[in-house]
Amino acid sequence: MTPSGAISCSFLAVARETPHNVRQFYNIVRAKDQCTNILATGFYSSSDGSNNFEYCGDYLHTHGIIYLQGRYGALVNMDVDCDGQGGTPADDGRCRVELSPGIQNATTFSDLIASYSRGIMDLNPYVHPYVVFGNAKGTRHRKGWREFDPSKYGMKPLSVMAAVCPADDKVVYGVWGDTNGDDDEKPMVGEASLALATMCGGKSINGNNGIDQDEVLYIGFVGDEAVPGPDGADWAAKDPDTFGKSIEQIGDRLVKKVTVDATSGAAGTGWCYCTCGDCGHMCAELQGLHIRLHFQTASQEFSLCLSTLNFKLSILHIEPLLGERNPHIYAVLLVFNRNLRSTASAGHR
């Protein structure tokens, strides 16, 4: 039931099927053990987990993007941020203080929002899909604290970001709207407004219930082209659908930058990511290179993957990607026979 006076939103218009290039990028990032060009490290996705989560710049100079990544196939989770301007008709009670005791009445860029003179003084967690990205220096002098400022690498406040939500193979657009402060004991990453988290996880999401799995990919874009400014978004929107539609064209344009070169692998490392459906044509052009297959089912699909290649392959080893957290996800390391002819139609020697 929606409280009296609240606006009930479907959130369907602002979540879309993940484009093929973004899905391929997502898969490649997950197939890597870790980031190569680490911009900052030592962060936590969950307070009881490890601190090996990083801001990654592997594609910063070639594609103008920054993203979060863990180790061995992990990305980050999605906790719910309820900061900002509440008390509007969109307020359905899911960010009430009982569910989110740490609510703050202002986001990091509230002054910038106010300067737009669009009738609001701050972002609204119920209305504006925003990502919490970056970690403030902090004032509590906590031991082991880590900080990261995305603006030092070209990201602009209130720029459009993308979040890939794997549960339903969706990508949603939001804005860089807040940063992680030092109100937590540890430097945390992986957080978004209630509006964005609802697009990813549905209406069961609330201030105390987000997405726990480390499977969400947050992508930030550098440069002015990612910034809607005061006139490029409907900042005064009353619901997430309306605001989401207003940044849709910018988001669609930006995600076209998220591309990978199948012949060079991920970030120039020589690795090629391929799924069962595309191994036959994508990896056929590689000769004498390593291939990593990543899949989320049991051995039957693994056998199917091998049969679709039609190549002589040597299995070097099979190892869990996510350990005890998800024992059904594996990395299978394969190598082409060095004498393989690189043609998709005739893969045999």
Side-chain angles (χ1 to χ4, degrees):
M1 292 291 290
T2 302
S4 177
I7 296 176
S8 177
C9 304
S10 66
F11 297 92
L12 294 177
V14 285
R16 59 195 48 78
E17 182 180 353
T18 305
H20 176 74
N21 63 304
V22 178
R23 185 184 300 113
Q24 188 180 47
F25 181 80
Y26 176 94
N27 290 337
I28 283 180
V29 171
R30 293 208 67 183
K32 295 174 58 182
D33 286 341
Q34 68 178 96
C35 175
T36 303
N37 180 22
I38 300 171
L39 305 180
T41 190
F43 301 95
Y44 296 80
S45 180
S46 58
S47 58
D48 59 350
S50 65
N51 67 336
N52 59 10
F53 293 85
E54 302 157 344
Y55 288 91
C56 187
D58 280 0
Y59 293 84
L60 174 61
H61 301 298
T62 57
H63 297 68
I65 58 178
I66 300 172
Y67 57 93
L68 284 161
Q69 181 178 1
R71 304 283 175 87
Y72 310 113
L75 297 173
V76 293
N77 66 10
M78 184 177 285
D79 294 328
V80 177
D81 189 42
C82 291
D83 295 348
Q85 179 179 331
T88 67
D91 187 335
D92 61 9
R94 289 183 294 140
C95 262
R96 61 185 184 274
V97 69
E98 293 86 356
L99 295 173
S100 185
I103 293 177
Q104 301 182 36
N105 60 8
T107 63
T108 301
F109 306 125
S110 58
D111 289 345
L112 180 57
I113 282 286
S115 74
Y116 285 174
S117 300
R118 290 297 180 266
I120 62 170
M121 299 304 293
D122 201 353
L123 296 174
N124 185 324
Y126 290 96
V127 172
H128 299 104
Y130 66 76
V131 177
V132 183
F133 205 67
N135 293 71
K137 184 176 183 179
T139 58
R140 292 178 171 84
H141 308 291
R142 298 190 188 281
K143 183 179 179 180
W145 190 257
R146 298 289 186 271
E147 61 183 273
F148 177 70
D149 182 1
S151 66
K152 291 183 177 180
Y153 295 89
M155 279 187 64
K156 304 295 180 71
L158 302 181
S159 57
V160 172
M161 295 186 63
V164 181
C165 315
D168 295 314
D169 193 23
K170 295 184 296 190
V171 62
V172 297
Y173 301 140
V175 295
W176 176 27
D178 207 358
T179 56
N180 293 281
D182 62 349
D183 44 320
D184 290 306
E185 293 292 329
K186 300 175 180 178
M188 307 298 296
V189 291
E191 191 173 6
S193 68
L194 179 73
L196 195 148
T198 300
M199 296 172 195
C200 279
K203 292 297 287 282
S204 64
I205 297 293
N206 61 50
N208 192 41
N209 180 42
I211 298 172
D212 295 332
Q213 295 81 11
D214 292 328
E215 298 177 351
V216 181
L217 177 62
Y218 301 90
I219 306 174
F221 302 91
V222 306
D224 292 333
E225 66 174 323
V227 182
D231 302 316
D234 188 356
W235 300 104
K238 304 299 183 184
D239 60 79
D241 282 349
T242 302
F243 182 79
K245 290 176 182 177
S246 74
I247 61 172
E248 192 173 60
Q249 287 188 348
I250 297 176
D252 287 344
R253 184 174 69 247
L254 291 171
V255 296
K256 290 179 180 178
K257 299 168 59 175
V258 183
T259 58
V260 288
D261 183 356
T263 62
S264 63
T269 62
W271 290 103
C272 168
Y273 177 90
C274 50
T275 63
C276 289
D278 61 17
C279 281
H281 65 266
M282 186 175 85
C283 295
E285 298 302 319
L286 298 179
Q287 184 173 350
L289 295 179
H290 296 286
I291 304 172
R292 172 167 293 178
L293 294 178
H294 175 239
F295 55 96
Q296 299 186 7
T297 59
S299 57
Q300 277 189 332
E301 187 169 346
F302 167 62
S303 298
L304 177 62
C305 275
L306 291 180
S307 66
T308 59
L309 284 171
N310 292 322
F311 300 142
K312 270 196 171 181
L313 299 166
S314 301
I315 304 174
L316 301 187
H317 65 273
I318 303 175
E319 61 183 9
L321 263 181
L322 299 182
E324 295 179 357
R325 285 178 294 174
N326 195 335
H328 298 297
I329 299 182
Y330 297 90
V332 183
L333 186 60
L334 307 171
V335 63
F336 276 119
N337 184 297
R338 297 257 175 201
N339 295 321
L340 173 70
R341 295 178 184 277
S342 59
T343 60
S345 58
H348 296 287
R349 281 174 37 170

